[in-house]
Structure formats: C-alpha cells, structure tokens
Amino acid sequence: MMKICLVNVSDVDEAMRSRLRVWRNSEKVSPFFLLDQVTEEQHRAWLERNVRGEDARACVIYADQVPLGLVYLPWFDRNTRCGEIGIYLYDRAFRELRPASAAYAGMMEAAGELGLERLYARILEDNAASVRFHERMGFVRVPEKDEVCVKSGERKRVLMYVKAL
C-alpha cells in the first residue's frame, strides 16, 4: 500500500521549493490554474506567506517518499472560518484518485485544526477531472459565486465549489 505524506513547505529544502515553481509553470500543471506563469518574485512572496503560515499553508505531497505535487490553502481567515483549497499532481505516474484524495483529506483535516469551517475551491470550467474530483470529495457547486478569469489571453469561466468541514 502506498504511503502518502504531507510535508510543509517550511520543512523542505531550497531545491524542492524551487522545483515547486518549475512544476507549477510546467505544461502538465499550468493549464489548470487561473493564473498564467508564476514569476520568481511571485513564487518567493508565495513561499514567504506559506512558511509564516499565518494565512496560507502549503504541503508537498510525497507518495512512498517520491515528491509528486502540492496541496495548499492559498488563503484562510480564522475570523470568518473560511479558506480556499487547491492541489496539483506533477508526477503523472500518480494521477489516480488515491494520492490526491489522501492529500486533500489531510489538508482538510489541517484546515479543521486551524478552526476553519468552510473551504472553497475555484476550478476552470473546462477542467472536468477536477470537477469530478471535488464532487467525489464532497464539494458542492455554488453557481452564484462563479467568476471569470483571463487565462492565456482568453476569458475563462471559473466554477466555485464549497465544502463544510
């Protein structure tokens, strides 16, 4: 049985932190994000927020000690008890549901320990795999909160999903 482990970005070495930006900007991952390419400056600012852990948290996902992706809370607010959750798997050898589900469940548990009661997930409309994944994980679509973003010069619809913890 595969062992899934989440390691906070504050506890990984600089090489792994740099690899996260390479993964994020790769052809395997970038098309599924709302934003286009992440600059070095944006990546550093993101890392600082996550290392501090005051209003964001990110963990590298390891499967049998192999780093394969990231699960994260890009923002959370302890006062409103809400946050946003996201995930990506870079290593395509681990694309089946099990590692992603275990990692997401681990991050949702951490969100609960932070006192959060509700998590949001924003998903590009054309990312059918992510929509199915979130629905399997118990997220429900909230159509009135859908948005539009500009991705690679195109306007794209962003679906909003929510889960009560």
Side-chain angles (χ1 to χ4, degrees):
M1 183 159 153
M2 184 180 328
K3 182 179 180 206
I4 305 298
C5 179
L6 303 182
V7 179
N8 195 294
V9 294
S10 63
D11 297 326
V12 298
D13 63 21
E14 191 59 35
M16 185 69 240
R17 290 179 186 176
S18 293
R19 190 182 320 174
L20 293 173
R21 179 172 171 257
V22 172
W23 285 355
R24 164 57 183 86
N25 286 338
S26 73
E27 291 290 322
K28 294 178 182 177
V29 174
S30 183
F32 305 105
F33 273 77
L34 306 185
L35 300 173
D36 289 317
Q37 299 292 291
V38 173
T39 67
E40 181 65 33
E41 183 177 308
Q42 289 169 321
H43 186 67
R44 287 278 156 221
W46 174 84
L47 276 172
E48 286 176 22
R49 284 187 62 231
N50 283 280
V51 168
R52 282 194 317 270
E54 296 164 4
D55 64 355
R57 180 153 307 162
C59 293
V60 178
I61 305 165
Y62 289 85
D64 293 336
Q65 301 180 342
V66 175
L68 62 104
L70 188 77
V71 62
Y72 55 99
L73 301 172
W75 67 268
F76 58 84
D77 184 326
R78 287 183 173 102
N79 294 324
T80 63
R81 298 182 177 204
C82 294
E84 184 176 346
I85 191 168
I87 190 170
Y88 67 80
L89 297 181
Y90 176 77
D91 190 329
R92 296 297 184 192
F94 292 92
R95 288 294 296 183
E96 78 269 6
L97 187 62
R98 187 183 252 321
S101 297
Y104 232 49
M107 187 56 81
M108 287 190 288
E109 183 178 322
E113 291 169 4
L114 290 167
L116 304 184
E117 296 175 349
R118 186 175 312 137
L119 288 175
Y120 293 95
R122 294 183 299 155
I123 306 165
L124 289 172
E125 182 177 42
D126 59 1
N127 190 347
S130 184
V131 167
R132 285 190 307 274
F133 171 76
H134 282 85
E135 289 174 351
R136 283 185 198 129
M137 295 300 294
F139 283 75
V140 177
R141 181 151 173 242
V142 186
E144 62 273 11
K145 293 196 180 258
D146 288 354
E147 309 169 345
V148 174
C149 75
V150 176
K151 174 83 175 159
S152 303
E154 281 184 58
R155 291 175 55 83
K156 298 259 188 169
R157 190 157 177 219
V158 179
L159 308 179
M160 180 68 77
Y161 279 77
V162 67
K163 178 179 175 89
L165 300 179

